[in-house]
């Protein structure tokens, strides 16, 4: 993903990582206000299931030009019925990611 990113040793802005984390998805991907009992069953079962807090894998920290940090995280997503799966790469504010110990993910 970062093959063409300049890697300065004097002023590094990219820190590759591989660490389990908890991702706060509630701010970036908030739930809809639709009532579940008003949705067709095929939508409820076949749609992507996103919880407010999900396990993920931190793959990098990237420094923004304003000095703040962005966490680059991979999430394994699935449909509510577990028949469909996809990996999502999210770029999130640092505050939306927290470390996870190996037992909790």
């Amino acid at each position: 993903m970062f093959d063409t990113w300049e890697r300065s040793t004097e002023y590094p802005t990219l820190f590759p990582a591989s660490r389990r984390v908890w991702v706060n998805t509630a701010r970036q991907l908030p739930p809809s206000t639709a009532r579940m009992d008003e949705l067709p069953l095929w939508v409820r079962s076949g749609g992507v299931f996103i919880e407010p807090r999900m396990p993920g894998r931190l793959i990098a920290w990237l420094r923004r030009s304003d000095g703040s940090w962005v966490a680059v995280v991979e999430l394994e997503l699935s449909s509510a019925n577990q028949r469909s799966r996809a990996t999502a790469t999210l770029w999130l504010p640092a505050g939306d990611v927290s470390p996870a110990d190996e037992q909790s993910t």
Side-chain angles (χ1 to χ4, degrees):
M1 173 181 291
F2 297 104
D3 295 341
T4 58
W5 193 265
E6 182 180 358
R7 297 185 187 225
S8 167
T9 56
E10 188 174 359
Y11 301 107
T13 56
L14 171 66
F15 292 89
S18 180
R19 180 178 186 175
R20 290 179 181 216
V21 292
W22 284 105
V23 179
N24 174 7
T25 60
R27 255 186 356 152
Q28 307 302 322
L29 303 167
S32 86
T33 57
R35 288 179 36 163
M36 292 298 283
D37 62 346
E38 293 177 346
L39 294 173
L41 183 57
W42 67 268
V43 172
R44 291 186 306 204
S45 65
V48 65
F49 184 73
I50 300 175
E51 296 181 89
R53 184 174 184 246
M54 297 183 69
R57 178 156 299 277
L58 176 70
I59 60 173
W61 286 107
L62 190 62
R63 189 136 207 191
R64 293 179 47 166
S65 61
D66 66 4
S68 64
W69 292 94
V70 174
V72 183
V73 178
E74 288 183 339
L75 284 183
E76 297 298 324
L77 300 173
S78 66
S79 58
N81 63 12
Q82 300 291 311
R83 291 184 182 173
S84 302
R85 298 193 181 288
T87 300
T89 303
L90 304 177
W91 294 50
L92 302 169
D96 286 345
V97 177
S98 58
D101 62 20
E102 294 298 317
Q103 283 82 27
S104 56
T105 55

